[in-house]
């Protein structure tokens, strides 16, 4: 791909500043620069190193599934999870209302082999 890309007519434009999204062949490349781990967790390092990339197919039915867990309320223990929960509780003496909303979800890849890690090669 590297040799082909170097001969690509838009390569000069890309080399002067890679755009956030570009198409090469039938593949769409999209930069994601905002993902940082929490500064408290490990110094604010990136989820994906600058010399790495992640690739995965899109538009594949059933490749990714989302499953929901119940809220952390007493009345939802041992129940099937819903996409979202909202609980409204009046404050004492009619001084207002507390509103709590949450969604507890997990995204699952059903074919983990479809997830690929790409690494830059030294020139």
């Amino acid at each position: 791909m590297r040799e082909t890309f170097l001969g690509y007519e838009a390569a000069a434009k890309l080399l002067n500043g890679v755009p956030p999204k570009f198409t090469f062949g039938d593949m769409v490349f999209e930069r994601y620069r905002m993902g940082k781990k929490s500064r408290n967790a490990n110094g604010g390092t990136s989820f994906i190193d600058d010399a790495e990339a992640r690739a995965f197919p899109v538009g594949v039915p059933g490749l990714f599934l989302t499953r929901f867990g119940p809220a952390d309320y007493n009345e939802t223990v041992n129940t099937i999870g819903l996409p979202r929960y909202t609980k409204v509780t009046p404050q004492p003496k009619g001084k207002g209302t507390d509103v709590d909303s949450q969604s507890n979800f997990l995204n699952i890849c059903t074919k983990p082999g479809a997830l690929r890690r790409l690494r830059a090669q030294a020139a």
Side-chain angles (χ1 to χ4, degrees), residues 67-81:
R67 295 295 181 248
F68 298 94
D72 59 353
Y73 307 138
N74 287 336
E75 62 269 20
T76 60
V77 172
N78 291 328
T79 62
I80 295 174

Side-chain angles (χ1 to χ4, degrees), residues 2-96:
R2 182 176 182 274
E3 288 75 20
T4 304
F5 181 75
L6 291 175
Y8 184 52
E9 63 186 58
K13 182 171 72 171
L14 293 175
L15 294 174
N16 290 330
V18 178
K21 187 174 184 178
F22 67 95
T23 301
F24 179 74
D26 291 337
M27 295 181 287
V28 176
F29 293 84
E30 188 169 349
R31 294 180 80 190
Y32 179 73
R33 289 283 187 194
M34 298 188 299
K36 296 276 186 188
K37 293 181 182 176
S38 167
R39 186 165 295 283
N40 295 333
N42 77 343
T45 58
S46 296
F47 282 114
I48 300 173
D49 189 82
D50 288 340
E52 291 184 351
R54 301 293 189 269
F56 56 91
V58 294
V60 178
L63 180 61
F64 293 98
L65 300 177
T66 301
R67 295 295 181 248
F68 298 94
D72 59 353
Y73 307 138
N74 287 336
E75 62 269 20
T76 60
V77 172
N78 291 328
T79 62
I80 295 174
L82 300 174
R84 62 189 112 352
Y85 292 87
T86 300
K87 189 170 192 172
V88 178
T89 310
Q91 291 181 349
K93 300 181 183 177
K95 300 266 181 168

Side-chain angles (χ1 to χ4, degrees), residues 90-110:
Q91 291 181 349
K93 300 181 183 177
K95 300 266 181 168
T97 306
D98 291 326
V99 178
D100 178 59
S101 294
Q102 61 182 277
S103 181
N104 305 304
F105 60 90
L106 177 66
N107 294 314
I108 304 163
C109 180
T110 60

